[in-house]
Amino acid sequence: MALWGGRFTQEADAKFKYFNDSLRFDYRLALQDIDGSIGWAKAITSVGILTEAEHQQLVAALKELRAEIEPNLAIILRDDAEDIHSWVESKLIEKVGDLGKKLHTGRSRNDQVAVDMKMWCKAQTLALQERIRNLQGKLVEVAEQNQTAVMPGYTHLQRAQPVTFAHWCMAYYEMLDRDYSRLTDAFKRMKTCPLGSGALAGTAYPMDRDALAVDLGFATATRNSLDSVSDRDHVLELLSAASISMVHLSRFAEDLIFFNSGESAFLDLSDRVTSGSSLMPQKKNPDACELIRGKTGRVFGALSGLLTTLKGLPLAYNKDMQEDKEGIFDAMETWQACLEIGALVLEDIQVHTDRTREAAQQGYSNATELADYLVAKGIPFREAHHIVGEAVVYGIRQRKPLEDLTIAEYQQFHPSIAEDVYPILSLESCLEKRSAKGGVNPQRVAEAIAAAKAKLENS
Ligand code: ARG
């Protein structure tokens, strides 16, 4: 039976009931709904609605219910109820009879769903931070093993300057570090408890809402009941943190797809994370990475969907807000899976260092070095840039890299180019010179790895 049947003389249309019901997705909030109810039972006991004995009995029944479903929330789906709140209440009534009907005194499903969602978001935030740290750990591991793996760095997907595979790994470490800190920030704003805001105007029972908040793991109660029942900022913040992080994961996946391609052949992704073609026996497709890149779209979709849903809503609660759930549930599951699969992809990645070095040697990625060399000889940078441009054109015509041009050949471009040019054109020298903070100098990269390891150990 619905929770609100008294005013109605006709049954809901079956099609409408299915349209309106949310149990098939909000069953995921069951533990939060029970925990919130345990907190609420205490709060209404404090204002004399329940005797201490009734309170004890309700809490025992709620805990029993919690233990029954915790191993597998999906068993809830066997039942038919409008939403998780009605489901918990009906189960409670099955267990303790009429006493179960007292629990909803002073509470509305509006503040109830608000607190359930906020508690769920808090738990997700912590779980995701753990997954982020795990992927960062894998990146640092792979970085550590590949500190001498020189490879071309790109801009515009053109070979630009040599970098190391370690430096590449640490770039993604940094992105994930910001993703982690975005969650830390969002979590700070999840510390206020909306329960006790009633349907919209506040609860009519003079309870200590701050004490209730603390019981439920929050710092304090929210300050305005209208805002409390209509606020879904925490859902939006998680979705935007997820979207930004998925941008990073998608670019990570895209780089790996490119590195694994026959064209670059910088690395091999393991058989554990690739799959074959049903037609072409030679193929090994980077499906894990493609799916990370592909799933990014649905996470963005959840964010823009909820922003759009909320933008025109009048205060306070509206049923539109039930649409917050499927998007965030799917987005958090997707984000978490992508973080896990990203870590798996890194687990037995094979970097072909001969091939990465060979590629770094092609493509004139030491041209900047030659320009800097001329600058050191007193030639203004703009002019040096032009001279090197001419040398590169010459090299391309002769099919020779810069380090293979003779001094006689160099003299056509500028008389000051001498024997001492060759050492500065080596890949090692290119790396070495970038020793300012954040650069690819191997010592700097080693320090970045050490600092990251220390940070991961402490969190
Ligand atoms: N299933 C609803 C939701 O997720 C719960 C709140 C219902 N409140 C109401 N007044 N009908 O938003």
Side-chain angles (χ1 to χ4, degrees), residues 31 65-75:
L31 299 179
L65 183 60
R66 199 184 195 289
E68 284 162 17
I69 59 168
E70 198 174 12
N72 177 22
L73 297 186
I75 59 169

Side-chain angles (χ1 to χ4, degrees), residues 346-421:
L346 287 174
E347 237 162 56
D348 30 30
I349 203 163
Q350 285 292 332
V351 183
H352 302 308
T353 52
D354 292 353
R355 179 59 205 135
T356 56
R357 169 170 279 273
E358 186 194 332
Q361 262 152 354
Q362 297 158 358
Y364 300 90
S365 61
N366 49 2
T368 316
E369 271 28 68
L370 182 56
D372 286 341
Y373 169 86
L374 291 170
V375 167
K377 304 253 168 181
I379 296 153
F381 180 76
R382 221 12 88 210
E383 217 173 293
H385 186 283
H386 187 78
I387 294 166
V388 176
E390 289 176 336
V392 167
V393 172
Y394 176 83
I396 292 171
R397 289 213 183 105
Q398 303 293 314
R399 295 178 175 277
K400 279 180 169 186
L402 290 178
E403 58 274 26
D404 288 356
L405 298 186
T406 64
I407 296 300
E409 285 174 309
Y410 271 127
Q411 296 280 316
Q412 339 164 41
F413 304 109
H414 203 272
S416 64
I417 305 181
E419 276 300 325
D420 61 348
V421 75

